Amino acid sequence: MLIGSYDLHRKVIDQSILSDPAFLGQLTDLSEQAALPGPILQSILPLLNIYYLERIEETALKKGLSTQAIWRRLWDELMKTRPSSLESVTCWRAKFMEAFFSHVLRGTIDVSSDKRLCDQRFSPLLHSSRHVRQLTICNMLQGATELVAEPNRRVLETLASSLHTLKFRHLLFSDVAAQQSLRQLLHQLIHHGAVSQVSLYSWPVPESALFILILTMSAGFWQPGPGSLPCRLCGEASRGRAPSRDEGSLLLGSRRPRRDAAERCAAALMATRRKSEVKQMPRAVPPSRVTRRSTQESLTIGGTDSKLYLPATSYEASGTKQPSAPAAASSASSSTSSKRAPASSASQPKSLKRFKRAAGKKGPRTRQGSGAESEDLYDFVFIVAGEKEDGEEMEIGEVACGALDGSDPSCLGLPALEASQRFRSISTLELFTVPLSTEAALTLCHLLSSWVSLESLTLSYNGLGSNIFRLLDSLRALSGHAGCRLRALHLSDLFSPLPILELTRAIVRALPLLRVLSIRVDHPSQRDNPAVPENAGPPGHIIGDEEIPENCLEQLEMGFPRGAQPAPLLCSVLKASGSLQQLSLDSATFASPQDFGLVLQTLKEYNLSLKRLSFHDMNLADCQSEVLFLLKNLTLQEITFSFCRLFEKRPVQFLPEMVAAMKGNSTLKGLRLPGNRLGNAGLLALADVFSEDSSSSLCQLDISSNCIKPDGLLEFAKRLERWGRGAFGHLRLFQNWLDQDAVTAREAIRRLRATCHVVSDSWDSTQAFADYVSTM
């Protein structure tokens, strides 16, 4: 059927017409040439498959036609998931095509199952790849092999220019072929592409070789894998070059990647599931001995950290010079056959020892080439054992740690990376719930010390333990580079060997150019006097008492563990942060209201640029005078008191004082009071802030979780109408008792919407109370 024989004035188009390929092609050509009338185009848009709909998009926009509703309906019918309430979707077309690409890549959607997805003239991956801004790789690296395959070369080239964020979720142990594919993928997307952010989520037992591969490639280092073809984009010379050591070998010398206890357990489980023979743990041969100063015993594997972080074993330095790779290998081979040395020889440096296989047991082997040693990561284990006759003196098998000053990595056993080619690197690195063993932490710190392109670093619940000292040294070394761009650091963990305020001071000293610092420690330090690793510098190098130099900090967020915090330490950080614009304190506890007042006075005197101040989960019932002091501050634009028990004491006297302070403040724009049991009486008292005699310019009010009932909200709305203040901005009403009288609540919200933008929810207060009681 031809366009010329078709009645363009027809208002209803038969769907059978759109099954004719010739008609679809001519129709699309006409639309792109602007020869198709707008009404006809509007009537056929819902009937097109996604390929022609995407192709005709630009023409539709030129005619003033929006396709967002069509893409939203396709999302609801095909993806069958509801976007997060926190997500604001600006373009449903891009969102649909990005999700469609991921489903096709993983094989979780059958394009032949729906005619809107199936068209033999289009490649689903190639057609949708230009819309992909974020790609997630899960489990056993599904999709990596498909993307680097030759038939998908154009897909990968398109991704290299469109993709900005690469995420890894729930990774499992992978084989050598999958890692080799990932190596090529990262090389194309990062080194020759536009990827600027790499994020790793929820990896309970990280595979050392895979983790190091992702880190080194993200940092811009490139070593072709054994037997891999030359990269056509970077013009490597010959195909017959000798296989180069991969990043793991490059960073860790000639030794094999090690496994800690958790990794071995996970590997055994995976082997059982695959019905392979489970390897037995051989009896430990005593490794080389390392003596420590008494002040460092608290950081050994026998200390607290090893119990709290199963994957994060500690390797401490012996103080002896690290042998070269050949010497280490030779020494290792000779020591395996030698007998156990007597205890009196503890002061003599011993060679590296390696454990043999259990007799008669053979595990799976993976060879990189003929004549090569087995590279099975589970064949070589690292066991830390103590000798009974030595009491508390611990032994380790390899020299692993030392000062990270960025100038001599050989002191760590981590040779310099000059042998690798250096390419473009990412600017944002995020590690969420990825436990870091000492090996992984050393690799990360070694890379960080010269990662000048990095602008934002997030380390969330990684079990750093005593490795935090090495991290501080690497950040200090990075800050010494003239081209350092690191401006945002987000650090959170269950425990820290340093108290949180000492850790904050150390970070601010190490990174004086930092703009954003978010730090959280959930539980207090297990040591009153934290020890420092031997080669991490003197104690004063990290936790000195000297004054903090002036810094560029603009945003500071701190989440405190339980226990009173020393106000002078916090004040010292605030005094050095004259550019601070936003401060957030979560769960902070001070010894007395006077200490809290000291912090507020410091803010008033030294932080004149402060605009936003937030307090969460703090008991401020005894700090009412300090709260009034804040509300009278004429520099703050936004204040948050979230679950701070403000009205627990003297509410009748305190509320009028609070309202009076707010009525006289013309600079405060936002006030957030969630979770303070304001009630109807408190809400009606706050209504006076918007009276005719008020000079307040408040335009954002958050009264969520404040036990507000419908009748009180209705009276609040009537008072606003009576005073005729007009629209004042946003009002948040989440999780209040508005379900007790739905009719009154709807009437109150209707009246409020004539005054402000209301954000509420359909919260079931009865069920919430029942859930609360059930957990008591």
Side-chain angles (χ1 to χ4, degrees):
M1 179 181 295
L2 298 178
I3 293 296
S5 62
Y6 183 74
D7 183 9
L8 294 179
H9 297 286
R10 190 174 175 186
K11 296 183 179 179
V12 180
I13 292 190
D14 186 1
Q15 294 191 27
S16 62
I17 298 175
L18 299 177
S19 62
D20 186 352
F23 174 79
L24 279 176
Q26 295 181 48
L27 186 65
T28 306
D29 292 339
L30 276 179
S31 65
E32 291 178 345
Q33 297 168 10
L36 198 64
I40 298 297
L41 181 60
Q42 185 175 10
S43 62
I44 68 172
L45 283 176
L47 307 178
L48 296 173
N49 63 33
I50 63 171
Y51 308 103
Y52 285 108
L53 180 62
E54 200 273 338
R55 181 179 168 185
I56 210 172
E57 176 86 12
E58 185 176 349
T59 303
L61 292 177
K62 290 180 179 179
K63 292 183 177 291
L65 302 177
S66 174
T67 62
Q68 290 299 300
I70 302 175
W71 290 109
R72 174 63 193 267
R73 188 177 73 249
L74 287 171
W75 175 275
D76 293 337
E77 295 176 357
L78 298 175
M79 300 305 169
K80 299 178 181 179
T81 58
R82 179 176 298 178
S84 170
S85 58
L86 301 178
E87 181 183 6
S88 177
V89 180
T90 57
C91 181
W92 282 100
R93 170 200 181 195
K95 182 175 179 61
F96 177 87
M97 297 299 281
E98 184 176 72
F100 178 64
F101 177 90
S102 298
H103 282 295
V104 173
L105 182 63
R106 299 173 194 162
T108 54
I109 192 171
D110 183 10
V111 295
S112 62
S113 62
D114 195 298
K115 63 181 181 180
R116 292 171 293 183
L117 304 178
C118 182
D119 196 312
Q120 297 180 355
R121 291 154 294 181
F122 293 93
S123 166
L125 287 179
L126 180 60
H127 195 75
S128 57
S129 58
R130 66 190 186 96
H131 296 283
V132 180
R133 300 293 180 269
Q134 175 179 295
L135 178 64
T136 301
I137 297 178
C138 302
N139 302 331
M140 301 184 71
L141 306 180
Q142 287 95 332
T145 303
E146 289 78 5
L147 286 176
V148 298
E150 184 62 27
N152 289 325
R153 173 185 290 188
R154 291 181 58 195
V155 176
L156 189 55
E157 291 175 350
T158 305
L159 278 181
S161 60
S162 66
L163 193 66
H164 294 157
T165 301
L166 189 60
K167 295 184 177 182
F168 297 89
R169 289 184 182 273
H170 311 295
L171 292 184
L172 302 175
F173 294 100
S174 56
D175 55 25
V176 175
Q179 290 191 25
Q180 180 60 24
S181 298
L182 179 64
R183 182 193 303 273
Q184 298 177 22
L185 181 66
L186 294 177
H187 181 55
Q188 180 93 353
L189 296 180
I190 297 178
H191 301 166
H192 297 293
V195 170
S196 59
Q197 175 177 333
V198 170
S199 304
L200 284 81
Y201 296 85
S202 186
W203 197 0
V205 187
E207 186 177 1
S208 296
L210 180 57
F211 180 76
I212 292 174
L213 170 65
I214 296 174
L215 278 187
T216 51
M217 297 289 283
S218 300
F221 292 102
W222 165 244
Q223 280 281 323
S228 63
L229 296 176
C231 173
R232 58 185 179 81
L233 294 177
C234 53
E236 290 184 359
S238 61
R239 292 173 177 246
R241 60 178 294 180
S244 302
R245 293 182 296 172
D246 58 13
E247 283 78 10
S249 301
L250 185 68
L251 283 167
L252 302 172
S254 59
R255 299 180 293 278
R256 299 292 184 264
R258 298 184 292 268
R259 289 283 174 192
D260 55 34
E263 289 174 311
R264 291 196 301 276
C265 292
L269 289 175
M270 294 295 293
T272 302
R273 289 171 186 159
R274 296 172 182 174
K275 297 181 179 181
S276 18
E277 190 174 7
V278 180
K279 298 187 291 292
Q280 297 181 352
M281 180 65 67
R283 183 177 180 181
V285 180
S288 59
R289 177 182 320 246
V290 174
T291 59
R292 289 178 176 80
R293 296 181 301 179
S294 59
T295 57
Q296 298 164 355
E297 292 177 355
S298 59
L299 295 179
T300 63
I301 190 62
T304 306
D305 283 349
S306 63
K307 299 177 182 178
L308 299 176
Y309 313 108
L310 180 60
T313 57
S314 297
Y315 310 131
E316 298 298 335
S318 64
T320 60
K321 185 176 181 180
Q322 174 70 17
S324 61
S330 174
S331 178
S333 62
S334 62
S335 61
T336 52
S337 61
S338 62
K339 295 183 178 181
R340 178 172 178 169
S344 59
S345 62
S347 59
Q348 299 295 328
K350 295 182 180 181
S351 57
L352 177 66
K353 295 188 177 183
R354 192 178 284 167
F355 299 102
K356 296 181 179 180
R357 280 181 178 271
K361 299 293 180 181
K362 294 184 179 180
R365 290 181 176 269
T366 304
R367 295 187 179 274
Q368 296 181 347
S370 59
E373 282 188 292
S374 170
E375 291 291 336
D376 189 348
L377 295 178
Y378 315 125
D379 288 347
F380 301 97
V381 295
F382 180 80
I383 297 180
V384 179
E387 294 184 83
K388 295 181 180 179
E389 62 269 25
D390 291 329
E392 297 297 325
E393 193 168 311
M394 306 302 296
E395 299 180 338
I396 63 174
E398 298 185 65
V399 175
C401 69
L404 283 168
D405 57 0
S407 59
D408 188 13
S410 61
C411 66
L412 301 174
L414 307 179
L417 295 172
E418 285 80 6
S420 296
Q421 298 185 50
R422 193 70 183 261
F423 288 87
R424 176 186 174 275
S425 56
I426 64 172
S427 59
T428 300
L429 177 65
E430 298 178 337
L431 305 180
F432 295 96
T433 323
V434 181
L436 299 181
S437 63
T438 299
E439 176 186 50
L442 287 172
T443 304
L444 174 62
C445 293
H446 185 45
L447 293 171
L448 284 177
S449 61
S450 59
W451 200 333
V452 293
S453 67
L454 194 64
E455 299 176 4
S456 177
L457 174 64
T458 299
L459 300 176
S460 179
Y461 297 98
N462 306 117
L464 285 173
S466 59
N467 289 315
I468 190 67
F469 299 109
R470 303 184 182 99
L471 176 66
L472 290 173
D473 276 335
S474 66
L475 293 178
R476 184 179 296 105
L478 174 63
S479 180
H481 289 273
C484 175
R485 302 177 188 173
L486 187 61
R487 296 296 181 265
L489 175 62
H490 304 268
L491 181 64
S492 57
D493 221 328
L494 289 174
F495 301 93
S496 170
L498 276 177
I500 182 171
L501 287 174
E502 291 285 3
L503 180 57
T504 304
R505 286 165 53 90
I507 292 175
V508 173
R509 278 201 299 263
L511 297 168
L513 297 180
L514 203 64
R515 300 293 178 84
V516 178
L517 174 60
S518 176
I519 182 169
R520 170 180 291 275
V521 177
D522 292 345
H523 300 284
S525 172
Q526 298 298 307
R527 308 181 187 89
D528 293 332
N529 298 309
V532 182
E534 179 177 358
N535 292 328
H541 184 54
I542 294 179
I543 54 174
D545 296 329
E546 68 273 9
E547 289 295 326
I548 304 176
E550 186 175 355
N551 58 73
C552 301
L553 210 58
E554 297 177 356
Q555 179 178 337
L556 176 61
E557 300 177 2
M558 302 183 67
F560 294 87
R562 65 180 183 274
Q565 303 297 325
L569 289 183
L570 177 57
C571 291
S572 65
V573 176
L574 298 177
K575 290 179 181 179
S577 308
S579 303
L580 196 65
Q581 299 180 14
Q582 182 174 339
L583 174 65
S584 176
L585 302 180
D586 187 349
S587 305
T589 303
F590 298 99
S592 65
Q594 289 74 22
D595 281 357
F596 183 54
L598 177 62
V599 173
L600 299 185
Q601 188 64 34
T602 303
L603 290 175
K604 181 179 180 180
E605 295 179 5
Y606 292 90
N607 304 106
L608 303 180
S609 301
L610 190 66
K611 304 299 181 185
R612 295 179 177 86
L613 184 59
S614 174
F615 302 104
H616 174 72
D617 194 18
M618 294 173 57
N619 185 1
L620 301 182
D622 295 321
C623 303
Q624 293 180 350
S625 60
E626 287 76 14
V627 171
L628 294 177
F629 174 81
L630 283 175
L631 293 176
K632 295 176 182 178
N633 190 316
L634 297 181
T635 61
L636 292 174
Q637 297 181 0
E638 183 179 303
I639 303 179
T640 299
F641 297 104
S642 175
F643 296 90
C644 290
R645 302 162 65 176
L646 283 183
F647 311 109
E648 186 174 289
K649 298 181 179 180
R650 300 175 57 250
V652 177
Q653 296 82 8
F654 177 59
L655 269 170
E657 296 174 349
M658 179 178 174
V659 170
M662 295 174 60
K663 290 174 68 174
N665 191 332
S666 60
T667 59
L668 188 64
K669 307 294 182 182
L671 178 64
R672 291 177 167 82
L673 301 171
N676 284 286
R677 305 186 68 85
L678 188 63
N680 283 358
L683 178 62
L684 296 180
L686 281 182
D688 195 38
V689 174
F690 306 99
S691 62
E692 296 176 352
D693 61 340
S694 173
S695 60
S696 171
S697 58
L698 193 69
C699 58
Q700 293 185 4
L701 180 62
D702 187 350
I703 50 176
S704 303
S705 304
N706 268 294
C707 309
I708 296 172
K709 298 181 180 179
D711 56 340
L713 186 63
L714 180 59
E715 181 60 27
F716 177 75
K718 291 179 179 180
R719 293 192 181 187
L720 292 183
E721 289 178 346
R722 183 164 56 251
W723 288 321
R725 281 294 299 263
F728 70 86
H730 294 263
L731 178 66
R732 298 174 65 88
L733 294 171
F734 291 111
Q735 297 184 356
N736 280 297
W737 296 351
L738 303 182
D739 60 322
Q740 295 185 358
D741 187 347
V743 176
T744 305
R746 284 196 296 268
E747 174 63 18
I749 292 177
R750 184 189 67 80
R751 289 173 175 262
L752 285 171
R753 282 176 176 164
T755 306
C756 58
H757 176 69
V758 181
V759 183
S760 184
D761 59 357
S762 56
W763 188 59
D764 187 349
S765 59
T766 305
Q767 183 61 41
F769 180 74
D771 294 341
Y772 172 75
V773 173
S774 66
T775 59
M776 293 180 63

